[in-house]
Amino acid sequence: MISRPFEYFTPKTLGEALAIMKRFGDEAKLLAGGQSLVPMMNLGLVAPRYIIDINKVRGLSGIRETSRALIIGAIVRHHEIASSETVRRIIPMLSEAASHIGDMHVRHRGTIGGSVCHADPAADYLPVLQVADAVFEVRDTRRKRLVKAREFFKDAFTTALKDGEVLTTVQIPKRNGWSSAYEKLEFVAGGFAVASAAVMVKLNERSEIENLMVGIGGVERRPVFLDLTPGFAGRSVGRDVAEEVEASVTSRVRDPISDIQADGEYRKAMAGVLARRAFQRCLG
Ligand code: FAD
């Protein structure tokens, strides 16, 4: 039950939304899909006096493609991402991650912008967006800036967003010749990740590794990004390489979370296993 009254705004433009945010400062909260904010309000963890619903703001929706990037509006739902042919063609691991989020209800309400700004360490998108080298466009009343996903997540539920800023788009560079895959371990259907791995690989014409990037979610307080290219470039792909990917990832998880779902050592081991599986699927 939401126990504290709040004032509710439905701006139609970004300028309006930003002006309301500026006026009320940290007493205001943006509402996108409400799949994290509303449960937190129900539990009494946050009690904003002003809610700014951005679902009607023009320019925050839609998935589009330019010659250089895939551009996803902040209020695009997980379901739209999971079912978009464009997303699947350009960055298959992103559609896989979206299709793993919660249940059908959550996927039809929750948004990519909300998930990124909430920064739950177990959120499916975070390792994927780091591996894909996504960039977030954020705006306040005065300016716009671009923040790399690899620099955005500062701690659990803590991002580089400053007061009064709204995330407007997620921009993913297009890359030729890469393959990608996402693997997730969840204990109940539709549950949050106990561990997850996103992998992107590029091979040369001799089937040797040219680039190898791995992202791990659900294991540390923020997503772990690993550029494994220096250790693996030039290697021919085979079973032994997949096992080395697993060992390399496991050894580079520094500070795994232990909680009621799983202890840290288990999460660390699973990070490696999931990275190996995703790596093998990339090759397949
Ligand atoms: P909201 O709840 O509306 O907002 C979340 C926070 O982000 C708020 O602080 C809000 O002010 C801020 N915010 C929202 N949009 C913006 C913006 N554009 N700019 C700046 N700040 C913004 N997630 C997973 O990844 N995997 C799962 O398996 C999973 N399972 C779930 C199961 C259940 C039952 C539920 C309820 C949720 C689950 N989620 C899961 C979380 C879900 O993905 C949420 O949709 C997501 O975390 C938040 O997105 P939202 O659009 O609902 O944001």
Side-chain angles (χ1 to χ4, degrees), residues 35-78:
Q35 299 303 296
S36 296
L37 181 61
V38 174
M40 287 198 303
M41 290 169 73
N42 286 337
L43 291 168
L45 296 173
V46 290
R49 296 181 78 93
Y50 306 96
I51 294 279
I52 308 163
D53 181 338
I54 53 173
N55 284 281
K56 292 196 168 63
V57 171
R58 286 186 290 276
L60 294 185
S61 52
I63 297 174
R64 65 193 171 86
E65 179 183 357
T66 67
S67 56
R68 296 165 65 162
L70 173 70
I71 300 179
I72 305 177
I75 60 168
V76 170
R77 316 279 159 188
H78 310 323

Side-chain angles (χ1 to χ4, degrees), residues 246-266:
E246 175 176 340
S248 177
V249 169
T250 306
S251 71
R252 290 169 74 168
V253 171
R254 302 256 177 265
D255 197 9
I257 302 167
S258 287
D259 63 15
I260 193 166
Q261 286 214 77
D263 74 25
E265 285 308 305
Y266 178 76

Side-chain angles (χ1 to χ4, degrees), residues 2-280:
I2 293 171
S3 53
R4 183 160 153 184
F6 55 84
E7 208 172 321
Y8 179 73
F9 297 88
T10 53
K12 305 282 184 304
T13 65
L14 189 58
E16 243 182 281
L18 290 168
I20 303 168
M21 275 179 86
K22 190 169 181 190
R23 189 163 140 218
F24 296 119
D26 59 12
E27 290 195 304
K29 273 271 176 207
L30 294 177
L31 174 80
Q35 299 303 296
S36 296
L37 181 61
V38 174
M40 287 198 303
M41 290 169 73
N42 286 337
L43 291 168
L45 296 173
V46 290
R49 296 181 78 93
Y50 306 96
I51 294 279
I52 308 163
D53 181 338
I54 53 173
N55 284 281
K56 292 196 168 63
V57 171
R58 286 186 290 276
L60 294 185
S61 52
I63 297 174
R64 65 193 171 86
E65 179 183 357
T66 67
S67 56
R68 296 165 65 162
L70 173 70
I71 300 179
I72 305 177
I75 60 168
V76 170
R77 316 279 159 188
H78 310 323
H79 163 75
E80 287 175 77
I81 293 173
S83 54
S84 160
E85 282 303 324
T86 310
V87 174
R88 192 166 307 133
R89 173 170 45 79
I90 296 173
I91 183 92
M93 66 177 169
L94 184 62
S95 9
E96 286 183 45
S99 69
H100 276 288
I101 296 176
D103 53 26
M104 199 190 290
H105 169 84
V106 172
R107 289 195 294 275
H108 275 80
R109 291 299 312 160
T111 67
I112 189 165
S115 177
V116 163
C117 294
H118 188 57
D120 189 317
D124 290 280
Y125 289 133
L126 313 194
V128 169
L129 294 173
Q130 289 200 329
V131 169
D133 203 12
V135 170
F136 306 135
E137 184 187 281
V138 302
R139 285 175 185 249
D140 65 12
T141 48
R142 289 174 300 117
R143 61 175 190 150
K144 118 181 144 181
R145 64 187 181 110
L146 296 171
V147 188
K148 281 175 149 293
R150 293 175 191 172
E151 289 157 15
F152 188 78
F153 304 104
K154 299 295 184 194
D155 197 351
F157 307 105
T158 308
T159 69
L161 267 188
K162 296 186 178 144
D163 287 347
E165 283 184 331
V166 177
L167 186 150
T168 53
T169 56
V170 173
Q171 307 180 0
I172 298 171
K174 285 190 191 168
R175 297 188 190 173
N176 287 329
W178 290 72
S179 52
S180 72
Y182 178 71
E183 287 280 328
K184 173 180 183 177
L185 173 67
E186 60 199 351
F187 286 160
V188 291
F192 276 94
V194 174
S196 67
V199 174
M200 269 185 105
V201 186
K202 187 174 189 193
L203 302 181
N204 64 20
E205 62 287 348
R206 294 184 300 281
S207 291
E208 294 161 346
I209 295 172
E210 203 170 289
N211 287 99
L212 173 58
M213 313 275 174
V214 177
I216 298 298
V219 171
E220 296 202 12
R221 288 176 59 85
R222 52 184 192 164
V224 179
F225 171 69
L226 303 172
D227 181 357
L228 298 187
T229 306
F232 286 86
R235 298 283 308 274
S236 300
V237 292
R239 191 183 162 81
D240 53 330
V241 178
E243 281 165 7
E244 282 178 45
V245 169
E246 175 176 340
S248 177
V249 169
T250 306
S251 71
R252 290 169 74 168
V253 171
R254 302 256 177 265
D255 197 9
I257 302 167
S258 287
D259 63 15
I260 193 166
Q261 286 214 77
D263 74 25
E265 285 308 305
Y266 178 76
R267 282 196 157 93
K268 190 171 167 170
M270 285 303 108
V273 169
L274 296 171
R276 168 172 52 76
R277 288 184 192 159
F279 174 74
Q280 287 170 318

